[in-house]
């Protein structure tokens, strides 16, 4: 098993809050474009009905846990609303929109440098990408890194924090198993696979090509 640098709760909180705002904008713009202003307002009201204020005087861990539940609430509300209004075809359209938004968000000079490294040494580039994923995914759920090298990143998730939440299966099925793997393949040239077994899961990331 590989030793993993632990992400502090302050950083986890920053990731959750950032992803809440990022996700809300993507969904609001999508609904506004396809269903109009009234539908967007209806969705925003649904968000507000389930959001818990984050206490300013709480510890970073407590604030992270509150923000995390808000992130789950908004995510599952988004998928349910799109499915109700637009059916599975709407979910598929939204998946594509979110993949493109995540790619724009992550575009940077460092990414172009990584592509250069990949052209010279694919194994080195993959290991750099794997280390980045192994650290950054900690805001989503606790896990153990079983293997990390030039060929594979193998992650064992004993109990997924996403699936532990009530009625959050859509986030697993759509976000984790479809949106994130598509983004990872298109922007980082890696194959991301999940093998969920109840609350536990195995995430395996390998180089493409």
């Amino acid at each position: 098993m590989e030793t993993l640098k632990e992400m502090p709760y302050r950083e986890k909180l920053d990731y959750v809050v950032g992803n809440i705002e990022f996700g809300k904008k993507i969904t609001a713009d999508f609904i506004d474009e396809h269903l109009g202003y009234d539908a967007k307002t209806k969705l925003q009201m649904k968000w507000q009905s389930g959001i818990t204020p984050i206490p300013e005087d709480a510890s970073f861990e407590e604030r992270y846990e509150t923000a995390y539940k808000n992130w789950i609430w908004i995510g599952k509300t988004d998928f349910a609303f799109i499915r109700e209004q637009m059916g599975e075809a709407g979910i598929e359209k939204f998946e594509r929109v979110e993949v493109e938004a995540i790619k724009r968000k992550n575009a940077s000079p460092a990414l172009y440098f990584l592509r250069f490294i990949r052209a010279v040494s694919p194994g080195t580039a993959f290991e750099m990408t794997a280390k980045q994923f192994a650290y950054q995914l900690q805001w989503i759920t606790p896990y153990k890194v079983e293997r990390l090298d030039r060929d594979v990143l193998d992650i064992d998730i004993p109990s997924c924090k996403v699936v532990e939440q009530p009625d959050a299966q859509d986030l697993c099925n759509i976000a984790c198993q479809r949106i994130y793997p598509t983004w990872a393949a298109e922007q980082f040239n890696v194959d991301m696979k999940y093998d969920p077994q109840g609350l536990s899961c195995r995430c395996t990331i390998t180089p493409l090509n």
Side-chain angles (χ1 to χ4, degrees), residues 2 4 10 13 17 20-21 44 47 49 56 67 91 96 98 100 137 142 144 152 155 157 164 177 183-184 193 198:
E2 300 287 334
L4 178 66
R10 181 171 190 166
L13 174 64
V17 172
I20 286 173
E21 296 308 313
Q44 290 170 331
W47 289 342
S49 70
E56 293 285 332
I91 293 288
R96 188 67 248 172
E98 184 156 7
E100 293 300 326
L137 293 174
K144 297 178 290 185
V152 65
I155 293 174
I157 306 169
E164 288 174 352
Q177 296 189 57
W183 156 65
K193 284 188 169 63

Side-chain angles (χ1 to χ4, degrees), residues 20 50-54 65-75:
I20 286 173
I51 289 177
T52 301
I54 301 174
E65 293 294 345
T66 301
Y68 189 91
K69 287 181 172 61
N70 288 342
W71 173 68
I72 292 287
W73 165 255
I74 291 167

Side-chain angles (χ1 to χ4, degrees), residues 9 12-20 50-55 60-76 137-142 157 159-166 168 171-172 176 180:
Y9 277 106
K12 289 182 181 181
L13 174 64
D14 288 343
Y15 270 108
V16 177
V17 172
N19 275 277
I20 286 173
I51 289 177
T52 301
I54 301 174
F60 284 117
E61 180 177 0
E62 292 169 324
R63 289 160 66 186
Y64 161 73
E65 293 294 345
T66 301
Y68 189 91
K69 287 181 172 61
N70 288 342
W71 173 68
I72 292 287
W73 165 255
I74 291 167
K76 67 185 186 182
L137 293 174
Q138 290 181 76
W139 74 268
I140 298 176
T141 189
I157 306 169
S159 184
C160 179
K161 192 176 181 70
V162 172
V163 185
E164 288 174 352
Q165 312 304 311
L171 276 81
C172 170
C176 292
Y180 293 157

Side-chain angles (χ1 to χ4, degrees), residues 37-96:
Y37 178 81
D38 288 347
K40 180 179 75 171
T41 301
K42 183 178 179 181
L43 174 62
Q44 290 170 331
M45 290 174 64
K46 285 180 177 288
W47 289 342
Q48 289 306 122
S49 70
I51 289 177
T52 301
I54 301 174
E56 293 285 332
D57 57 347
S59 67
F60 284 117
E61 180 177 0
E62 292 169 324
R63 289 160 66 186
Y64 161 73
E65 293 294 345
T66 301
Y68 189 91
K69 287 181 172 61
N70 288 342
W71 173 68
I72 292 287
W73 165 255
I74 291 167
K76 67 185 186 182
T77 300
D78 288 348
F79 291 133
F81 187 83
I82 293 170
R83 183 180 288 111
E84 176 188 316
Q85 299 292 324
M86 300 175 66
E88 290 302 324
I91 293 288
E92 291 179 11
K93 284 183 181 178
F94 180 72
E95 287 177 31
R96 188 67 248 172

Side-chain angles (χ1 to χ4, degrees), residues 12-13 129 131 174:
K12 289 182 181 181
L13 174 64
T129 301
K131 286 179 179 177
I174 301 171

